Amino acid sequence: MQNIHFDLNGKRFHALTAGTPGKPLLLFLHGFPEYCGAWAKVMPEFAEGYYCVAPDQRGYGGSWREGDVPDYAAKHLAADVLAMIERFGKGKCAALIGHDWGASIAYACAMRAPDGMIERLIIANGVHPAPFQTELAAGGDQSEASQYIEWLRAPGSEKKLAENNFERMFALFSDKMDMSWLTDELRAEYHRAWRDEAGVRAMINWYRATPLLVAEPGKPIAPEKLPKWTPSDLRITMPHLLLWGMKDTALRPETRDGLAQYCDDLTVAEHDTADHWILHQQPDWVADQINIFLHRTS
């Protein structure tokens, strides 16, 4: 694998790549609080037949992290990714693959991209905005599980997370999850990716910029107060694979309820023992499922 740097609209980005430029593009999007290395054990499986690119997204790792909250709105994050498809795939992406926040941006791109630009959409433990907002607003299990979002949005959270060598960041990262994959070497890599308080602030600005509303447990938000979306604008028209670690405690299974009504062609594959960090716990299974989906003929 190789590390590359490139410019998009005057902003410097870093990415991890595998395979040969010019072959069909697979674009891998990480989530919070990760970096391009989240895909390091999955990408090599596709290096022979594809050009695999995993960027540090805006605000993360070695990529651009300046600006303020409005610079991290979904429209800008999606524009970055669509520009990467133009740059690395000449306007074509064999599959856009996202996890966690990367999944949210992958969905946004799939909704915005011109027909034929993204051939397939693959999501690993990530959520479509409509079912997710429904559950966030319901005041139930997902609302309770997502209270950390409000904590992250509060002023000064970046300072608290960066203190004592990111002690609270690692605590947030590992809460109720299997972290046996997090070696000392990988922990050091996360330290390098997060860098400092300014780096944490840039990552958290994704949460501050999103219009999603989180109810207090037991206190549902009235429907009229929720974001107003046009269903046709949220449609996923290309073949879509959803991979799901069933022990995820950050994203509850009900966040998938109703997803099929937004998709023309949805396939779901579940792993019984993986949780939210499925890319690290079961990289071979993830790669196998992606490979099957890429070669599906109908």
Side-chain angles (χ1 to χ4, degrees):
M1 292 191 290
Q2 294 183 326
N3 289 282
I4 63 169
H5 290 87
F6 57 96
D7 291 328
L8 293 178
N9 300 317
K11 297 176 176 63
R12 192 73 166 162
F13 285 80
H14 166 261
L16 188 65
T17 70
T20 305
K23 289 190 175 182
L25 174 66
L26 299 182
L27 191 58
F28 296 82
L29 306 179
H30 66 80
F32 174 88
E34 299 210 79
Y35 65 107
C36 60
W39 295 101
K41 290 188 176 181
V42 175
M43 284 172 45
E45 298 299 319
F46 303 96
E48 184 174 344
Y50 298 90
Y51 185 40
C52 304
V53 179
D56 284 331
Q57 296 198 78
R58 178 184 297 220
Y60 284 82
S63 291
W64 184 87
R65 61 171 187 172
E66 309 304 323
D68 208 342
V69 172
D71 295 295
Y72 296 88
K75 64 180 181 180
H76 299 307
L77 304 172
D80 289 342
V81 173
L82 295 177
M84 292 177 201
I85 294 174
E86 292 289 348
R87 182 184 184 93
F88 297 113
K90 297 182 179 179
K92 295 284 186 180
C93 185
L96 182 59
I97 307 167
H99 171 255
D100 185 76
W101 254 117
S104 298
I105 302 309
Y107 273 122
C109 290
M111 296 167 192
R112 290 172 167 81
D115 288 346
M117 186 180 202
I118 300 170
E119 295 179 10
R120 297 173 190 258
L121 176 68
I122 300 172
I123 301 295
N125 283 75
V127 288
H128 184 287
F132 189 45
Q133 178 61 95
T134 297
E135 292 304 321
L136 285 178
D141 288 347
Q142 187 59 56
S143 300
E144 184 172 356
S146 295
Q147 289 304 299
Y148 74 92
I149 293 176
E150 297 299 274
W151 187 88
L152 289 174
R153 286 170 165 170
S157 61
E158 57 265 47
K159 179 177 177 61
K160 296 173 184 176
L161 289 170
E163 288 174 345
N164 300 320
N165 287 323
F166 304 102
E167 180 180 3
R168 293 186 75 167
M169 179 72 94
F170 279 113
L172 178 68
F173 199 13
S174 60
D175 186 36
K176 300 176 184 177
M177 303 287 186
D178 172 16
M179 302 300 289
S180 58
W181 56 270
L182 187 63
T183 63
D184 290 342
E185 182 180 0
L186 272 177
R187 180 181 285 265
E189 288 294 330
Y190 280 99
H191 271 259
R192 283 190 282 272
W194 297 336
R195 291 187 277 182
D196 51 29
E197 183 180 325
V200 177
R201 180 185 303 112
M203 295 190 292
I204 290 173
N205 278 343
W206 286 47
Y207 288 95
R208 292 170 175 157
T210 178
L212 291 173
L213 300 178
V214 183
E216 295 180 39
K219 298 181 179 180
I221 298 173
E224 60 270 17
K225 294 183 179 180
L226 299 179
K228 299 297 186 287
W229 289 317
T230 303
S232 60
D233 292 340
L234 303 179
R235 189 128 204 101
I236 305 301
T237 58
M238 67 284 293
H240 173 14
L241 172 65
L242 177 63
L243 305 177
W244 200 268
M246 295 299 290
K247 291 189 178 296
D248 193 339
T249 57
L251 296 175
R252 310 298 300 168
E254 55 265 30
T255 59
R256 305 180 304 177
D257 291 351
L259 174 61
Q261 68 180 311
Y262 292 95
C263 302
D264 290 357
D265 180 354
L266 174 64
T267 301
V268 179
E270 298 175 342
H271 195 288
D272 289 339
T273 63
D275 60 38
H276 191 69
W277 307 121
I278 189 171
L279 305 183
H280 303 284
Q281 297 159 347
Q282 298 293 334
D284 292 341
W285 182 84
V286 169
D288 286 345
Q289 295 302 315
I290 292 174
N291 192 48
I292 292 168
F293 186 66
L294 290 174
H295 290 91
R296 195 187 73 176
T297 57
S298 61

